[in-house]
Structures are given as structure tokens and as C-alpha cells.
Amino acid sequence: GERRVLLFNYRRHGLLAVDASNGEFIWHATVEDEPAPWYSGSPLVLGDVVILPVSSQEVGMAVNPLYGCCTTSGGMAAFDINTGEKIWYTPTIEAEAQVTGSHFFFLQEYGHSGAPVWAATSYDAVRGWIFFGTGQNYSHPTTDTSDAIFAMDAKTGEVQWVRQFTANDAYTAACNIIALNHPNCAKPTGPDVDFGAATLLARTKSGRQLLIAGQKSADAHAMDPVTGEVVWSEKLGRGGIIGGVHWGMAVNEALGLVYVPISDKGITGFPSPGEPAPGLYALDIETGERRWVYARESRCPEEECVFGFSAAIIASNDIVVAGTMDGMLEAFAAGSGEVLWSHDAWRSYAAVNAVETTGGAFDAHGSMIADDLLMVTSGYGYVGRQRGGNAFLVFQLEAGDE
């Protein structure tokens, strides 16, 4: 008989299927085509097939100077939802990595590598295609599949087209150390402006379908989903290693708007030329023109207080909800950008489980709206020296609110 299945990925350990009614284990799958996969992007279920984005741990492993960087590729995998059996795997770099040099006299260096897939895919049911963005290369020589958008056949994993937006972007976490002098930091070092956020398929008011992608360079791009041809590109800020667009955008087709959150926060010791322009930008889906922008001053001069939108955002019919790196959760009128509601999460909360609880930065995963509830986590200090915390917040609309 049929059973309700809950699917989730565990960052280092792969894809798990459990019975949604009782938590009973069903199957566990990993991508064995890559020696150091990372599972960051959410799986997508298409009938009996589960599509799983694949990133690579080497971006962090490279911090060890005794590690021979780098040999792995990102990719996309498909599994049978009933058995967990792999149906296909397509790497973002087809060529096998080759030895390119050495350091410390005995440690070999390798390339091509990288082009990880960090985020979930979008899906076009008419064509049966999936769309996703890739990250930077980890080492030289670079490929034409990094910092790129892919269109792929969901049934076969066959690549339909690839559009690269930033060439020769080679970077690992080793580049954050000792003034870019680490042996596993690619030279020349790229700006690390990958596509970390999921792509969006949206219809314009005239009925045209566009594929929209936001990049850590602070660019928003709209493409023809059939060909990958660029319809418009808008540079909204300076971008950088933690965004530009970091975790996710949102769209309101009825208003013809795409909402683009810009972080533009720099990291100490890593070059980020240009003036930051953090804020929430509402662009016309058809043309990319700005319809409204929300920005404000940071709440204090310290690094943890820097204003900007890094977390994924969410749009409903009437509002956009976005949390800032300096701990404010805000609801905006979808058409005008007017701030309708604001909550400062830099405080203590009385938790339902009696654990000492404080809020902090809003980053990474965005809010979720369900019926009259708004749910979000607060407290993310992983990058950017932001204020950590451990709050899961649930808000409810008051009766009578429009």
C-alpha cells in the first residue's frame, strides 16, 4: 500500500527517507560518484523520482595545507523514491581532475574542481527540465560550468544548456587565511561570487516565462528558460563572498515583481571593492527595472550590527517577509515596500521547553508562512561575525488583521 514519506538530506551523510507517520527508517542514499560530497540543497520530488543537489566538502577541506586540493565536482543526482536506488548522476565538471602542480615538495595539486550545487532546483513540468546554479571552481584550471546556470532533463540528467556569468572564479576557504597566502588558495583568487540561492521560474504579466537567478555578485539575471539567453541583468550592489544575493529570492507574479535581498557585507581581510548597497530590491519581472527599494542604517557601528539581507525571504499575495543580519524581522507591503510590521529579535524569550533562549541574526533559512502563522529561526553566527542565538519563533496574526 501507499505510505507517506518524509525526505531530507543530512549535510555529510546523504539523503534519508522515513515514514512520515511514525519516523520509521525506509532507506538512506549517498552519491558514491564523488569522494567528498556535501548535501546542502533541498531534495525535489517528481513523482517516483527524488532529485538531489550535490556540493563538495573540499571548499572547507582545503583549509588544511596538507590537503591536496582539489579533485571533486558538484552535481545533480536522481534516486528512486521507493528503493533509494540511484537512477542517474550528472557532475557539473565532466573531465576527471588531473595533477596540476605540487607544494611542500610532495603534495600534489589538482584541477578541474568545484562548481558545487548549493541550492534546490526549480522545475518546469511542461518540458520536464530542472534549473539550478553552481558555485565557483576550487582550483585552476577553471571550467565554463562554474558560477553558471544549468538546464537539465529531469528524467535523464542530460544537460540542455549552461550559461556562465562569471568566468575564472577560483576560491576555497583557504583563501580567508594568512592574507591569501595559503598553498590551497587558488592564484589568481576569484571573488567567490557563486549562485548560492535557488533559481526561480516566473511568468511576467504578458505571459512570458523567465528563469531568474540571483548571484553573490549582487546581480539579478533573467533568462529565457528554453535557450538560456539573457533577457536582463541588473547589478544592485557590490556583492562579495557572503552576498550580494546569498540564500534566496521571492516573486509575486500578480504584481509582476521579483524581490531581491542584498547583503553586501564584507569579511575582514578579504577584498571587497566598491560601496556596499544592502537592501531589499523589488524589480519588474519583465524588465528588471527597480520598483521600490528598502534600506536603512545599521543599528550600531560594530561588525555584528551591519544591516543587510542575507537570509532567504518569502512573499505572499500581500506582503514580503525578510529578516536582517542585525536581528530585525520585517514585513513589507508587496506593492510599495512600506514597512507594515517589525520585530527586534535581539532579546530573551520565554521558551515553551523552558530552555534559556535568545534571538540573534536572521540568516540562511528564511521564514515560512502557513495559514495565519509565520515561523522563523533567529540566531546565526556562522559567517560574518553576527550575533548567534537559539530561538525558533512562531508569530500568529491577530484576529481582525487584514
Side-chain angles (χ1 to χ4, degrees):
E2 287 195 354
R3 70 201 296 195
R4 290 174 73 82
V5 177
L6 173 66
L7 290 150
F8 59 93
N9 40 316
Y10 185 9
R11 198 164 171 91
R12 287 206 172 162
H13 300 284
L15 181 62
L16 287 147
V18 299
D19 190 305
S21 61
N22 60 18
E24 186 187 314
F25 173 81
I26 303 173
W27 53 257
H28 168 224
T30 56
V31 174
E32 276 150 21
D33 308 72
E34 300 290 347
W38 239 359
Y39 307 97
S40 163
S42 297
L44 172 71
V45 178
L46 302 174
D48 283 342
V49 177
V50 188
I51 307 281
L52 182 67
V54 182
S55 177
S56 157
Q57 295 177 44
E58 282 191 306
V59 70
M61 292 159 82
V63 167
N64 176 1
L66 298 179
Y67 182 77
C69 173
C70 281
T71 64
T72 64
S73 165
M76 195 61 66
F79 298 91
D80 185 308
I81 197 169
N82 300 298
T83 63
E85 207 173 317
K86 187 179 80 178
I87 300 167
W88 53 259
Y89 172 71
T90 304
T92 54
I93 301 174
E94 282 179 16
E96 289 288 313
Q98 307 292 327
V99 175
T100 56
S102 65
H103 63 263
F104 300 155
F105 305 109
F106 63 92
L107 267 177
Q108 291 187 318
E109 298 167 355
Y110 303 87
H112 313 281
S113 65
V117 185
W118 292 111
T121 60
S122 36
Y123 176 61
D124 178 353
V126 176
R127 288 181 196 88
W129 289 5
I130 54 173
F131 302 92
F132 58 91
T134 63
Q136 78 286 356
N137 290 118
Y138 292 166
S139 55
H140 290 289
T142 54
T143 65
D144 58 8
T145 57
S146 58
D147 294 358
I149 301 298
F150 273 69
M152 198 178 265
D153 187 298
K155 277 201 174 61
T156 63
E158 194 179 334
V159 176
Q160 303 301 306
W161 55 259
V162 179
R163 161 78 59 180
Q164 185 176 52
F165 284 90
T166 305
N168 300 319
D169 185 2
Y171 161 88
T172 65
C175 296
N176 296 359
I177 299 164
I178 330 172
L180 309 187
N181 227 357
H182 193 291
N184 280 337
C185 176
K187 316 278 189 309
T189 305
D192 185 29
V193 289
D194 43 296
F195 290 95
T199 54
L200 295 171
L201 272 174
R203 285 214 177 271
T204 68
K205 284 182 170 175
S206 68
R208 182 177 189 184
Q209 192 181 43
L210 292 177
L211 177 68
I212 302 170
Q215 194 177 352
K216 275 168 46 180
S217 57
D219 289 278
H221 310 284
M223 288 149 274
D224 183 315
V226 183
T227 62
E229 185 186 345
V230 177
V231 176
W232 56 257
S233 267
E234 288 295 319
K235 185 146 181 74
L236 304 172
R238 71 175 176 185
I241 185 171
I242 48 175
V245 180
H246 204 175
W247 291 94
M249 308 173 299
V251 77
N252 184 322
E253 289 183 330
L255 292 174
L257 295 176
V258 57
Y259 304 101
V260 187
I262 297 294
S263 154
D264 264 11
K265 188 172 186 176
I267 278 195
T268 308
F270 195 86
S272 45
E275 278 300 304
L280 183 61
Y281 293 74
L283 308 182
D284 187 303
I285 299 173
E286 194 102 46
T287 64
E289 285 173 55
R290 298 178 194 193
R291 292 288 174 249
W292 57 259
V293 181
Y294 169 79
R296 61 167 169 79
E297 292 298 309
S298 299
R299 63 193 288 161
C300 77
E302 276 72 55
E303 192 172 4
E304 75 168 6
C305 293
V306 171
F307 162 76
F309 293 94
S310 173
I313 61 172
I314 192 165
S316 73
N317 295 337
D318 307 303
I319 62 169
V320 182
V321 180
T324 64
M325 293 183 289
D326 62 350
M328 304 295 283
L329 185 65
E330 291 163 325
F332 304 91
S336 67
E338 181 195 345
V339 180
L340 302 175
W341 172 82
S342 185
H343 175 81
D344 184 347
W346 281 14
R347 44 163 286 194
S348 299
Y349 294 94
V352 293
N353 54 347
V355 172
E356 204 170 297
T357 304
T358 55
F362 290 97
D363 207 335
H365 305 286
S367 313
M368 179 181 171
I369 295 172
D371 299 323
D372 62 348
L373 298 181
L374 172 69
M375 295 163 272
V376 65
T377 54
S378 176
Y380 182 94
Y382 176 50
V383 292
R385 294 188 182 153
Q386 289 155 199
R387 184 172 291 203
N390 63 338
F392 178 66
L393 307 174
V394 180
F395 301 92
Q396 185 167 29
L397 277 177
E398 289 175 7
D401 277 357
E402 283 302 309

